[in-house]
Amino acid sequence: PVCTACDRGKYAEGEGNVECQFCDDKDTLVGSITLTNGTTSASGCLCPAGEFEDQGTETNSTGQCRAVSFLGGVEGDVDGMTIKTLDLKPGHWRTSEQSTEIIKCLNPKHCKGGVNVTNLCNEGYTGPLCAVCDEDYAGTGSGKTLTCSACTGDVWLELLHLEASSVASSKDGAA
């Protein structure tokens, strides 16, 4: 048999296999493509830009490609996105890398977006919807109006200074 590279959207599993199979199949990943010709494994089947791989269900363990447009707040120009790698637009947040619930932040400036769900907030913000001030930041306002500013100075030195002043003034008063 003559070996020829499989066309885009198909793959041949294993060395020397000349039978190309479609990626868009219930046994592989429904709606998927390959990015190039000559793909040699089903793992090369990816969802095209504008779609993401939804995890399999009890009836379909391989999953399928679904449009990102129904989620809102997700960049649509990335090939091969999965639930774990959904690329959020700035101003959006989600609870975990398994969640497809994309939520608008109370203040869009708090949320930088991206793929890493542990790093969706801009500097100084944290928590659900990036609506809490991070450690070493102080907040004014709340919700949409929350502003978190970096704390300056050393709080412990300030407290030590106040304690020393208090002790000194109590000694002066006792004399």
Side-chain angles (χ1 to χ4, degrees):
V2 177
C3 294
T4 57
C6 293
D7 293 334
R8 190 168 185 234
K10 296 179 180 180
Y11 68 97
E13 194 77 56
E15 191 174 323
N17 188 347
V18 294
E19 186 178 325
C20 297
Q21 298 175 325
F22 283 97
C23 284
D24 183 12
D25 185 276
K26 66 177 177 58
D27 294 326
T28 309
L29 177 59
V30 176
S32 66
I33 61 166
T34 58
L35 299 180
T36 61
N37 292 343
T39 301
T40 58
S41 169
S43 64
C45 297
L46 307 169
C47 293
E51 298 183 9
F52 73 99
E53 181 181 344
D54 197 356
Q55 309 299 32
T57 63
E58 289 179 26
T59 58
N60 180 5
S61 62
T62 59
Q64 64 182 2
C65 296
R66 293 178 56 195
V68 297
S69 58
F70 86 92
L71 296 174
V74 176
E75 299 290 353
D77 59 352
V78 181
D79 285 313
M81 269 197 296
T82 66
I83 286 180
K84 282 185 170 187
T85 63
L86 288 175
D87 189 5
L88 272 56
K89 293 178 180 178
H92 294 82
W93 184 88
R94 68 181 180 147
T95 57
S96 75
E97 62 183 21
Q98 297 302 318
S99 174
T100 56
E101 183 180 6
I102 311 301
I103 306 167
K104 284 186 178 181
C105 293
L106 298 175
N107 184 328
K109 293 178 183 175
H110 297 174
C111 302
K112 65 182 176 182
V115 174
N116 183 350
V117 295
T118 62
N119 191 22
L120 293 173
C121 301
N122 279 313
E123 185 178 342
Y125 300 89
T126 190
L129 304 176
C130 304
V132 177
C133 291
D134 210 348
E135 188 175 326
D136 297 327
Y137 284 79
T140 56
S142 64
K144 284 183 179 182
T145 64
L146 176 67
T147 300
C148 298
S149 303
C151 297
T152 57
D154 191 331
V155 173
W156 294 114
L157 286 177
E158 290 294 321
L159 289 174
L160 186 62
H161 177 73
L162 288 173
E163 182 66 25
S165 298
S166 175
V167 169
S169 64
S170 66
K171 283 185 179 179
D172 290 342

